Amino acid sequence: MTTDVASQPEESEEQVEVLLPDTNIVTHCILKNDVERLRKSFEEDEDPYKEIVADLINTRGRDGKSPLDLASTLGRVELARELIVRGAEVNSTNLKGIYIFIIVMNL
């Protein structure tokens, strides 16, 4: 029996990361509760999101929530801390006028 080498995936091929629908790398990590992946996107030079991740940490979704608001609402304490360390805006308000800092402090 012979094996068709052309049909075998090459070991050097990288798998393409698929994000959850309607997310970016930051909100994807929050929803998946994956703080290590978020750190990797900031720290690893070869990460495909390294160039844009800093701009995404304060980008609000269609619902008006910032990533910090989302992490806090879901009780993702470690991710909320990581976002703050990376420069997430803590003095902004959500659509209801509640300061994100107040939500974070209640975690």
Side-chain angles (χ1 to χ4, degrees):
M1 180 172 148
T2 61
T3 303
D4 183 7
V5 176
S7 67
Q8 300 290 327
E10 292 183 31
E11 288 184 29
S12 63
E13 287 183 23
E14 289 185 35
Q15 275 192 305
V16 176
E17 182 175 19
V18 178
L19 301 180
L20 294 171
D22 298 320
T23 65
N24 58 50
I25 189 60
V26 176
T27 53
H28 172 84
C29 291
I30 294 166
L31 293 173
K32 300 286 279 184
N33 199 18
D34 192 349
V35 71
E36 289 305 318
R37 177 63 187 98
L38 182 64
R39 286 182 184 134
K40 177 183 171 194
S41 65
F42 278 98
E43 296 171 359
E44 291 190 12
D45 290 335
E46 63 277 356
D47 191 280
Y49 300 103
K50 177 145 175 91
E51 298 295 320
I52 61 169
V53 69
D55 294 331
L56 296 174
I57 62 170
N58 290 307
T59 301
R60 294 184 179 274
R62 291 183 190 154
D63 60 0
K65 289 185 176 185
S66 70
L68 183 57
D69 192 10
L70 179 62
S72 301
T73 300
L74 294 174
R76 310 278 203 243
V77 177
E78 193 174 357
L79 279 157
R81 286 182 184 142
E82 189 68 26
L83 290 169
I84 292 168
V85 166
R86 301 291 181 171
E89 179 59 51
V90 295
N91 293 318
S92 64
T93 59
N94 64 17
L95 292 177
K96 295 180 181 179
I98 300 171
Y99 282 93
I100 302 306
F101 183 74
I102 293 170
I103 297 170
V104 172
M105 292 305 294
N106 288 317
L107 289 178

